[in-house]
Amino acid sequence: MTVSMFLILLTAFSLIVGLIVQALKKLLDSLNVSYSTNVVAVIVSAAVGIGGTAIYYVIASVPFSATNIICMVLMGVATAVGAMVGYDKVIQTIKQIVSKGGS
């Protein structure tokens, strides 16, 4: 996998993860289930990163080798890191700034 393809997939997966996590949060909130947003984001992003890369390999007719499987795992990790510093962290920081400023 080239670096440019890795970055293209990472960008696409980050967008997909954001949408899925927001939908899951709304679903879990409506069911009154307590959860950690970061744990949900890590699980979803790992699944999207690894699964999405596997789908890319199948579509591009790339054979599954040890190197490609390592790339799948690294994509899962990279997508998880991207999700952890994404939307929720920005909102959390804004809330913390507002609460400190109001004190």
Side-chain angles (χ1 to χ4, degrees), residues 50 53 57 63-76:
I50 293 170
T53 306
Y57 287 157
F64 285 89
S65 65
T67 303
N68 290 342
I69 292 171
I70 291 170
C71 286
M72 289 169 53
V73 172
L74 291 175
M75 180 63 77

Side-chain angles (χ1 to χ4, degrees), residues 21-22 25 37-38 41 83-84 86-93:
V21 168
Q22 291 302 318
K25 284 172 44 178
T37 304
N38 290 339
M84 295 295 290
Y87 174 78
D88 288 332
K89 292 297 178 185
V90 173
I91 296 300
Q92 182 181 25
T93 303

Side-chain angles (χ1 to χ4, degrees), residues 7 9 23-24 26 36 39 41 44 47 73 89:
L7 292 174
L9 290 175
L24 277 175
K26 288 189 184 288
S36 171
V39 173
V44 169
V73 172
K89 292 297 178 185

Side-chain angles (χ1 to χ4, degrees), residues 10 13-15 17-18 41-42 45 75-89:
L10 179 60
F13 295 160
S14 295
L15 294 171
V17 166
V42 167
S45 59
M75 180 63 77
V77 171
T79 307
V81 169
M84 295 295 290
V85 295
Y87 174 78
D88 288 332
K89 292 297 178 185

